Amino acid sequence: MLVSLVLLLLGALAAVLAPRLVARAHWSEREPIVALWVWQCVVAAVLLSFALSMTFSAAAAWQLVRGHVFAPAPQAVVEAYALGVGGPWAAGLAVLLACGGLWSAAMLTREIRTARAQRRRRRRDLLVRAPLMPGEETEGERLVVLEGERPDAWWLPGSAPQLVITTAALRRLKGRQLDAVLAHEQGHARARHDWLLHVSGALAAGFPQIPVFAAFRDEMHRLVELSADDMASKRFGRLTIALALVELNEERGVFDPCPPHHDQLPQRVNRLLAAAPRLAPVHRLKLTAAAALVPVVPVLVAFVPALRALG
């Protein structure tokens, strides 16, 4: 039962302290792809800590669960976990954490269903405004041009992904700026950023009081845009994608002295124009490897009594 409580405490501490620690990393804007990986590993460690705590609490509370979890383990290993001293607290903790897991699954299911319903509605609108030509196939990536006075471009994910751009955007984007915008949106699709946004949104909606999940959602929205900017800038240059962002969003007032609250476009453009150097490859590799070890920590904690029992 002690292992279960330690894992619960470890998950709670990570959920509270991780956002503050990751926020101090000033390299995240220089390496948004690495930052995305770090955040995923941190959230995975928190969820794994709670899942393992639930497992050991259930094993301490019910013999049936204990038999399945420790079926292949020697008796000395089972005794090392002191599963019989939990009492009613073990059952209550296991039920509480199981409810949290079910609630997370329900929130993710709702998030995915809502996103699919929105995509279906937007696809119906697109077919009305831009119907398929005779003989045109819907398979593969399809570029849809919409008549519109507002310059805009967006990617519509799904089984048949579509890139939508308005005629106003075509008129404003010059030279390779259009190619840069297309590369930015394709970067979102190829990296499956929509799934990151679904998972982070579901966790934040299900547990709004847990700091790590709210920060995870906010950082995912920011970092996926930065990483897509970098994907486009590798092919067409930072200046090209920066000018394209300005052309697409200038009329929205986001570059005014008092821009709309929380709009990140000015920061994205400034970042592209500043062209801060990337981290050294060795540094990126160290950060990636260190982040990958974070979810291993709760697993090691879970196996400490067994390793001690086995000498």
Side-chain angles (χ1 to χ4, degrees):
M1 187 59 189
L2 178 61
V3 175
S4 178
L5 294 177
V6 170
L7 287 167
L8 180 64
L9 179 61
L10 178 64
L13 286 175
V16 174
L17 299 179
R20 302 177 184 177
L21 295 177
V22 179
R24 295 179 181 177
H26 300 295
W27 51 263
S28 61
E29 289 197 354
R30 298 165 61 187
E31 297 294 343
I33 296 178
V34 177
L36 283 171
W37 171 249
V38 170
W39 271 105
Q40 292 176 71
C41 290
V42 168
V43 172
V46 172
L47 296 177
L48 189 57
S49 297
F50 291 150
L52 289 172
S53 178
M54 177 195 68
T55 301
F56 285 113
S57 298
W62 299 292
Q63 182 63 41
L64 180 62
V65 178
R66 189 183 314 170
H68 284 84
V69 173
F70 292 92
Q75 185 62 31
V77 172
V78 179
E79 294 175 355
Y81 282 91
L83 297 174
V85 300
W89 292 102
L93 181 58
V95 171
L96 180 63
L97 292 173
C99 289
L102 293 174
W103 181 248
S104 300
M107 290 296 101
L108 181 58
T109 302
R110 188 187 71 171
E111 183 79 17
I112 294 174
R113 287 181 175 177
T114 302
R116 287 179 175 175
Q118 291 176 348
R119 286 201 299 265
R120 286 194 296 266
R121 184 173 64 253
R122 296 176 73 178
R123 288 184 188 278
R124 287 195 298 266
D125 295 340
L126 284 177
L127 285 176
V128 172
R129 299 178 62 185
L132 293 173
M133 300 297 290
E136 184 179 0
E137 299 291 339
T138 59
E139 300 295 330
E141 297 180 0
R142 177 172 176 249
L143 176 63
V144 180
V145 180
L146 289 181
E147 187 72 31
E149 295 301 323
R150 177 181 175 180
D152 202 359
W154 67 92
W155 189 266
L156 191 60
S159 56
Q162 294 176 313
L163 177 60
V164 186
I165 190 167
T166 63
T167 53
L170 293 178
R171 289 192 296 267
R172 292 185 67 93
L173 296 174
K174 305 174 183 63
R176 300 204 307 170
Q177 293 176 7
L178 175 60
D179 295 328
V181 170
L182 299 182
H184 173 98
E185 299 300 335
Q186 288 170 346
H188 283 311
R190 290 170 183 169
R192 300 308 304 265
H193 287 161
D194 55 318
W195 279 102
L196 282 177
L197 298 179
H198 290 332
V199 173
S200 61
L203 290 174
F207 305 96
Q209 303 303 323
I210 298 182
V212 70
F213 295 150
F216 183 47
R217 176 197 56 198
D218 296 339
E219 285 298 290
M220 288 304 99
H221 282 277
R222 184 178 72 93
L223 292 173
V224 297
E225 295 298 336
L226 298 185
S227 63
D229 287 343
D230 286 353
M231 294 177 194
S233 66
K234 287 178 182 178
R235 296 176 57 187
F236 301 101
R238 289 177 174 266
L239 180 60
T240 302
I241 186 63
L243 292 175
L245 291 174
V246 172
E247 292 291 343
L248 284 177
N249 298 279
E250 188 175 15
E251 294 181 352
R252 293 172 49 200
V254 296
F255 300 104
D256 292 345
C258 297
H261 191 49
H262 293 317
D263 201 301
Q264 299 173 354
L265 273 167
Q267 288 78 12
R268 288 169 57 192
V269 172
N270 290 335
R271 169 181 174 271
L272 289 167
L273 295 178
R278 298 188 62 188
L279 298 178
V282 175
H283 195 178
R284 295 200 301 269
L285 181 60
K286 289 180 179 179
L287 287 173
T288 303
L293 293 176
V294 174
V296 179
V297 173
V299 178
L300 291 177
V301 171
F303 278 98
V304 165
L307 294 175
R308 286 182 175 176
L310 296 174

